């Protein structure tokens, strides 16, 4: 922590400041000389609330010099995290492709789509059984029945499965079916939930909240790692924008930034970011070009009948064609698909 | 729902559109004549995903003509909701004043502050026992011990109490101590939690998520009402801004807007919005002037030692002085304090 | 500037960094000891692009320790700027009230409204003659004819006048009529314009751009002061929001923040912030309660016929009633109206 | 315009509404029957301020059914605009590559970089001679001297040139040197400037304001077209974000959306969006993958000595390598480079 003092700071104020720094457990460094205006403070916890110093008399500014995240930080671990689930590795130069419907709707639907997913070369089947919906009157998912159908479909086609878990009380149930837990954007700061997921050993994909800063996002990932779960991947799915045309703003610059700040893999979800299927292919291509470690794409063979988010689902044929384009782009950025 | 057709729409496309509308359960209205470009569709559920129509060929635009919220809407209930808890009424021309520390820290602290709260004329004591913290390494609250202390302090000084509940599994425990449940900003769309709170009978204060639109916020309140709990108040506490100086943007225009759209009372929380105690009085005054039904203010007799959010807590003396200013402003807007 | 070095920084990298700092004209301070990770650099211009250091090898973070604005800063001038125009003073404990129509439409209109303004006790008449409109097809103002009418109306009722200037080529013309130049939100970073206005001696009201940070805003004010014009007041009028209900977000927290950072007076414009007349009184009251030095309010005796922004104009009767409420609130914050 | 009436609307209110619609020049359509709640109004100007209807008694909601932009709209012109300048065409399946320094600094610099630009296969040289800077103390450009140097360099290497024009008074001067006018983000709503540029015949590149909606942006382009200049291209360069790590948010979803809404070409500027050279290649690749018609990239052979924005400039070698990657990606989206 760097503390910049006011021009008219008094000796008394400096003494008071030092007393506080000692109390909070900081080691104080000599001021920088020349202009006696700066004090360094080293040693306290990364989550120290710097406002405690900012409000002291004589203090002009306070700068934290360490990121508040540690275990998720690239400083802590130089090499990329690679998550291994059976024969699938996430976070290598092999792009991870996750596809499937927004919600599991019935056995026929999920089997049909799982087949498409397998044919496309994707290794992971997505689908929601417990759905967080903005409206209490909307379809809330099939629950455990949906999980069962999904597991059967995944097994039949040799796929892994990923599905969302909404609350602490569901962890055991969902965990008994899924290979990867998904934490949705709305739950990114549901700390009760992520703390408990951190105590499991199962991989977790943590979606970015729609107004979460990258720091907020990595701090939530930190909860998972601090509780013992190292198998964490992030997922960018669009942030809040002021524009009605681009309801969510697909923040692709987050991809290279997270890669610099952290060792965790980043998946991109162009379906939620775009919201309309017509924009999904362009955004999927852009995400791969920006360096994403993988994509999560919603597909549906009959989007008009989809019980949720049909308008953003790709038809299987369009999806298959997109995969071909992505393969070329992957090559241009040193990845394989 | 109003559907605007493209200029070059074909009869075939119109037929297809009508078929879809029928399928989704809409009654179709004759087009508006003159320019055959508009179709009305009436009768489906308020949460119908209008994108399902938007993606059909020949459709230029789709406008929802009903708000997606119903029970929370001023259309549904003309008169203001008044929440009665013992002898306290929230939502009348009597301003509701809620005050107390960010976190309960120990018995001495909460008793000292409860006394200040009572003397100030406030009727409700706030305090956190289960704290949602951005960092896994920060103080997470005293848990049930904190609830006990708070209940004792509230009882001793004849106050009601409000405290945050973080997860479904805590509802019974927290509910056995508190008079009002608080749902924090980060949990505003934790639908599992608010659904269960909707099944209790205890009043709930629903804080606005930092990037929640007013519509999102009212839809979350809708979950509470739809599950049977009518005792709901909202709380504005600042939204995400692009400016580092105003980390949270206190959205005071939300107050008159919510009053027009909904019958639910709106409390304002200038402490979280401002983040620094120096700005709290100005924002508290502004909130009352803008028509808030009440205020929630953080106080601490020794903010430097506060275990959380000390920098935004008012000293008791400053708080008492603020109350006097608020009394005058309340009078200017037809309210009492 | 504080430079935090990476943990694995090499001596070579530190040498290279120091060479750069010297080249850019900085004086280098000894590192802070203990952990050899910090270097202080003092002395360069406040607008130094810190990214130049950030990109050097071995550098982890760079913190600017001085605000980039100087003349507008409270550090530079402790006492509030008071702008004197004839017998009117802006920036004292007397609230400055500015009122009038969005656009000057005809002589009858501006005379009628100027009379209302004078009766209400306001000292400054507002009105647009050159209008910046989002659409090229909208009413663009009466031009010089409008300026003439406004001057006559202001003189007849003993008022000062304020009107917007859109481009460098208009400065002389507009300046020959108006007492105060207004720079609109869209032109806040039209540096050509503000540079030239800085060379005049006439007071300037600088509106905040809808996505300008407070720092951006003060930097634009800095252009005015640096070019010699000290008579500068700021105007908060709402910033970009993600919510359709609150199209502009009236950033009232900017008022106490600007008062701390700068010595310049801040006027609030609730009419543009609210966009609908029904919300204007609440926002006007809130602005005074938050400590604004003045208000700018749009009024119209026949808003339905207004050529621009009629929906946000207050009727004279509502406006007069609002003034009474504001008087009470002004008293609560130590101001007069 | 669709007008939704309140449930309790009276006949009197409907009459009053119809009277207003007539007065504003609308043709009224029969209500939609069943529920007598909707009125259609057809025929007024696209920029009609719908708030004028929204404030009438009995009106619940008003929906504009036409976009406010017309000449820029894809409805108005089905085929893509192709801008031809000498032998260069912008808006075809040939990607337009624009490169050069942020500012022209001296003859040696601009000649050196123009050579790189030519070798890379780019056809257009960029460079600023009049610079809009946030700080009045920063380098403001070489002015006409810079224009001269740039023209010479462009001519020597067979390139077109693009440079920014800041004010009406500079149009003739800048126009006598440049092939394309650039309007910067800060001037996107400087209507005086764009109106005058609309009266010239020279191509204009209109950068998106950092908080401009796509609609705002197209409305500013409408000013150019409405004044007679059809040679307009747009440029996405990042919008305001709440995240300090991604200072500007490169809004790549704007590319497919603009292509759907409008016939104008869209150039992407990854240099300004990223702000740091390390992120430029990833964002450049993503922009091409998202379907941009071209790229504008800042390069510098000695970024550390650059007088402006050096940290975001690519070194020539990195730039040349990026071009190769872009060539592959262009192929994947049906474009050539």
């Amino acid at each position: 922590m760097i503390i910049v003092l006011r021009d008219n700071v008094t000796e008394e104020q400096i003494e008071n400041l030092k007393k506080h720094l000692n109390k909070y457990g900081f080691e104080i460094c000599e001021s920088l000389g020349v202009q006696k205006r700066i004090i360094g403070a080293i040693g306290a916890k990364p989550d120290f609330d710097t406002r405690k110093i900012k409000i002291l008399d004589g203090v002009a500014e306070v700068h934290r010099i360490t990121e508040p995240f540690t275990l998720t930080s690239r400083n802590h671990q130089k090499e990329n995290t690679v998550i291994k689930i059976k024969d699938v590795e996430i976070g290598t130069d092999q792009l991870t492709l996750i596809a499937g419907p927004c919600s599991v709707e019935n056995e026929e639907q999920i089997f049909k789509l799982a087949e498409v997913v397998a044919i496309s070369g994707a290794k992971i089947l997505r689908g929601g059984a417990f759905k967080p919906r903005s409206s209490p009157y909307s379809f809330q998912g099939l629950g455990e029945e949906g999980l069962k159908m999904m597991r059967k479909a995944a097994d039949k086609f040799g796929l892994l499965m990923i599905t969302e878990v909404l609350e602490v009380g569901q962890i055991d149930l969902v965990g008994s079916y899924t290979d990867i837990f998904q934490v949705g954007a709305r739950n990114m700061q549901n700390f009760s939930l992520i703390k408990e997921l951190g105590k499991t050993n199962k991989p977790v994909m943590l979606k970015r909240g729609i107004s979460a800063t990258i720091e907020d996002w990595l701090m939530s990932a930190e909860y998972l790692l601090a509780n013992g779960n190292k198998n964490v991947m992030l997922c960018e799915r669009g942030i809040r924008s002021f524009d009605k045309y681009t309801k969510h703003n697909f923040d692709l610059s987050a991809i290279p930034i997270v890669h610099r700040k952290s060792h965790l893999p980043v998946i991109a979800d162009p379906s939620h970011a775009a919201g309309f299927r017509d924009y999904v292919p362009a955004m999927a291509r852009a995400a791969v070009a920006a360096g994403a470690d993988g994509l999560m794409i919603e597909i549906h063979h009959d989007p008009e009948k989809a019980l949720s988010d049909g308008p953003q689902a790709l038809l299987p044929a369009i999806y298959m064609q997109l995969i071909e384009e992505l393969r070329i782009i992957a090559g241009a950025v040193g990845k394989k698909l």
Side-chain angles (χ1 to χ4, degrees), chain A residues 40-320:
Chain A
I42 292 173
K45 299 183 304 170
D47 65 311
F48 179 76
D49 185 346
T50 56
R51 294 180 300 174
K52 288 184 177 182
I53 301 303
K54 217 164 181 173
I55 56 174
L56 297 178
D57 289 336
V59 172
E61 286 179 56
V62 178
H63 300 279
R64 211 173 48 199
I65 60 170
T66 42
E67 309 280 9
F69 40 93
T70 46
L71 302 177
T72 54
S73 165
R74 182 69 81 179
N75 279 338
H76 175 78
Q77 179 185 315
K78 294 280 168 282
E79 60 287 354
N80 290 337
T81 281
V82 174
I83 301 172
K84 289 176 203 178
I85 317 172
K86 294 173 189 163
D87 60 333
V88 175
E89 290 188 335
I90 301 166
T92 67
D93 63 355
Q94 177 74 36
L95 271 184
T96 298
L97 203 54
I98 307 171
C102 178
S103 300
V104 185
E105 296 167 10
N106 55 59
E107 208 160 293
E108 193 200 342
Q109 175 237 26
I110 192 69
F111 271 73
K112 225 182 222 173
L113 292 172
E115 189 174 13
V116 173
V117 172
I119 291 172
S120 78
K123 300 289 189 213
I124 308 175
L125 177 67
R126 64 148 287 147
F130 295 100
K131 301 296 299 174
R133 304 302 299 275
S134 303
S135 167
Y137 313 120
S138 296
F139 174 62
Q140 310 268 326
L142 295 182
E144 187 171 4
E145 276 314 295
L147 295 174
K148 274 185 199 160
M149 292 173 192
M150 223 183 136
R151 185 72 264 171
K152 275 207 275 182
D155 287 346
K156 163 140 194 204
F157 295 100
L159 298 168
L160 299 177
M161 93 178 233
I162 180 170
T163 197
E164 183 163 355
V165 58
L166 291 178
E167 53 178 280
V168 172
Q170 282 172 358
I171 293 178
D172 285 347
L173 175 68
V174 175
S176 69
Y177 291 97
T178 197
D179 300 296
I180 308 173
F181 287 118
Q182 175 177 318
V183 176
R186 295 186 186 87
N187 276 324
M188 192 201 83
Q189 292 194 314
N190 180 339
F191 300 120
S192 295
L193 177 62
I194 56 179
K195 214 182 289 185
E196 288 308 311
L197 289 172
K199 296 176 186 162
T200 73
N201 224 349
K202 222 177 250 300
V204 176
M205 184 175 82
L206 182 67
K207 288 195 142 191
R208 181 180 182 186
I210 59 165
S211 68
T213 62
I214 291 173
E215 189 177 300
D216 291 337
W217 193 18
L218 291 176
M219 285 309 289
S220 283
E222 187 85 12
Y223 262 93
L224 293 162
L225 275 71
N227 280 283
N229 193 340
K230 307 279 179 235
N231 293 310
V232 175
M233 63 187 117
L234 303 166
C235 178
E236 162 65 33
R237 44 81 75 212
I239 55 174
R240 189 63 99 180
S241 158
F242 52 76
D243 198 332
K244 67 177 174 175
Y245 288 142
T246 48
K247 204 181 158 190
H248 293 116
N249 197 310
F250 202 21
D251 183 14
L252 292 174
S253 51
I255 295 171
I257 293 172
V258 168
H259 280 161
R260 163 162 300 202
K261 297 279 173 193
S262 176
H263 49 84
L264 299 174
V266 191
I267 306 299
D269 175 349
S271 304
H272 279 89
F276 285 94
R277 77 172 66 109
D278 286 355
Y279 302 136
V280 171
M283 292 300 101
R285 291 188 304 251
V288 172
D293 294 292
L295 288 180
M296 179 153 90
I297 296 177
E298 290 190 6
I299 59 174
H300 204 288
H301 58 283
D302 190 359
E304 290 179 7
K305 293 211 185 98
L307 293 177
S308 62
D309 280 347
Q312 72 197 32
L314 290 186
L315 282 162
I318 305 287
Y319 164 71
M320 296 301 282

